[in-house]
Amino acid sequence: PGIKPGSGVETDRLPFDVRNRAMDAVDACGGRVTIGDVASRAGLKLDEAERALQALAADTGGFLEVSDEGDVLYVFPKDYRSKLSARSFRMKVEPLLDKTKAAAEYLIRVSFGTALIASIVIVYTTIIALVSSRSDEDNRGRRGRSFDSGFTVYFNPTDLFWYWDPYYYRRRQKKDGGMNFVESVFSFVFGDGDPNQGLEEERWKLIGQYITSNGGVVTAEELAPYLDVLPSGETDDESYILPVLLRFDGHPEVDDEGNILYRFPSLQRTASSQRFGRKEYVGKKWADWAGGIEKYLEEKKWLFSKAGASEKAMVVGLGALNLSGVIILGSMLRNAAVTPKGFISFVADIFPLLQIYAASFFAIPLFRWVLLRKTNAGIEKRNQGRKQRAQALELPDPSLRRKLLSARDMAQRTVIGSDRIVYSTEKDVADQDFEAREWDRRFREL
């Protein structure tokens, strides 16, 4: 029994992050959930949570329960993950794709650093060859042999093979957080990626859990520390709350004193008896009444590079050495008395690429440095605004205190236990018909 799966795998049609976040929420709630449970735990929109639960139930033999008040619950078997993995080809190939992606990313990182070494070797070997050809035309053959030997001494590809390990970077990070020289080249030029990756997911998880922990009724001031707001005092506009209302299907209500509060009915009903925090607010500090939920959402500032000072100094030095060599070589090629041949001819053909590499080696970091200053200034302003809003909640003024207490008075959290279930798709057809009739009768009596 249960929801019969169709010919396709419904879960494969879900976005990767929606599926995984929904499954994590199901696990955290013990396999028996409402749509609100998953939306608040995973930070998903209500329609995303519903669609994910329906797909998971269809693919894993989950079933539905309906309470005496019409609430729909989704119940999953303990082995639902293994059942899904057995059906979904996408889940089988995802680990391989992740490894391939990690290897490709590492390959790109070390390729740029390797290119710096190769460029230096090529440029200065060509300079030496040109100088030698000018000083002694009669020994061109011997100089060719000297050139070949020099190239082998200065650049032996096998010396770099140990860098080309897609898992070396991860092992190095786990060990001491450092990086090797070849990686530090890429880090200096392009940086190390977004330090706030996954921030939006974390934001909505915190908001959903906060609303749930406080009975589904909150003030705008309580959610401000998790949103992008101006520092307190600069504006009294509560329009920043609108994205939260849209995501979790909330609506404003006015209490007896004229305060605007926000109720989220879907987050007030849960299948889990677990509590995130206390329901009441008595003017104590945040950690005492929010059950350990973060005080405010803090963005991390972008770093120019995670490479150490010595690695960056070496990268800058070699980059400057390469740029100087390219400038010198360009002048020598323009003033060459004879037509380049052999290796020198090859270098002359690829010289525009060497110039682009040498120039971009410093142009890109300079542009990033200017951009990061502006970006970090915005991050600092947003963090400061959220921090001030959180501090205002720790020691609220009398007006805000009354507003918070009013929200706690209006809060409501309903746990839907097994004793309140009147219909379940897990039962056989006869039992389902009986329960349906009983459900209809109870509703008529209300």
Side-chain angles (χ1 to χ4, degrees), residues 191-207:
D192 303 283
D194 186 358
N196 295 304
Q197 188 174 8
L199 181 72
E200 285 303 304
E201 177 183 341
E202 182 65 19
R203 181 202 304 273
W204 293 115
K205 282 183 179 180
L206 289 172
I207 292 174

Side-chain angles (χ1 to χ4, degrees), residues 133-250:
S133 66
R134 289 179 179 179
S135 63
D136 193 353
E137 285 290 327
D138 296 334
N139 295 324
R140 187 173 303 168
R142 180 173 59 82
R143 286 194 298 276
R145 291 191 296 274
S146 174
F147 155 73
D148 292 337
S149 175
F151 187 78
T152 303
V153 170
Y154 285 105
F155 180 63
N156 188 349
T158 59
D159 293 338
L160 298 176
F161 279 172
W162 68 281
Y163 287 125
W164 294 70
D165 174 5
Y167 301 104
Y168 174 81
Y169 182 58
R170 293 182 182 178
R171 291 197 293 267
R172 184 67 177 258
Q173 279 192 321
K174 291 180 180 179
K175 184 178 180 181
D176 58 11
M179 60 179 67
N180 60 52
F181 169 74
V182 178
E183 291 174 317
S184 65
V185 174
F186 186 93
S187 176
F188 172 80
V189 177
F190 296 105
D192 303 283
D194 186 358
N196 295 304
Q197 188 174 8
L199 181 72
E200 285 303 304
E201 177 183 341
E202 182 65 19
R203 181 202 304 273
W204 293 115
K205 282 183 179 180
L206 289 172
I207 292 174
Q209 291 175 14
Y210 185 87
I211 295 171
T212 302
S213 71
N214 287 282
V217 180
V218 295
T219 66
E221 290 84 351
E222 290 178 276
L223 300 184
Y226 304 118
L227 299 168
D228 295 337
V229 295
L230 295 173
S232 56
E234 292 189 19
T235 179
D236 294 326
D237 184 12
E238 294 186 0
S239 61
Y240 58 81
I241 202 74
L242 291 177
V244 184
L245 299 180
L246 292 173
R247 177 172 286 262
F248 296 122
D249 194 22

Side-chain angles (χ1 to χ4, degrees), residues 141 167-168 170 224 287 331 374 380 398 402:
Y167 301 104
Y168 174 81
R170 293 182 182 178
S331 177
K374 181 179 179 180
E380 177 64 25
R402 289 193 299 270

Side-chain angles (χ1 to χ4, degrees), residues 342-363:
F343 176 76
I344 297 178
S345 176
F346 168 74
V347 174
D349 291 338
I350 67 169
F351 188 69
L353 296 178
L354 297 177
Q355 289 178 308
I356 293 173
Y357 181 87
S360 63
F361 195 89
F362 290 104

Side-chain angles (χ1 to χ4, degrees), residues 22 29 31 36 41 58 65 78-79 105 110-112 116 145 216 236 242 317 350 368 389 399 415 420 423 437 441:
C29 294
R41 280 274 189 175
E65 293 180 344
K78 292 183 179 179
D79 61 343
E105 290 175 350
V110 299
S111 294
F112 200 84
L116 174 62
R145 291 191 296 274
D236 294 326
L242 291 177
I350 67 169
R368 282 201 313 112
R389 299 294 183 120
S399 176
V415 178
R420 300 187 58 179
Y423 178 81
R437 289 193 297 271
R441 182 185 63 79

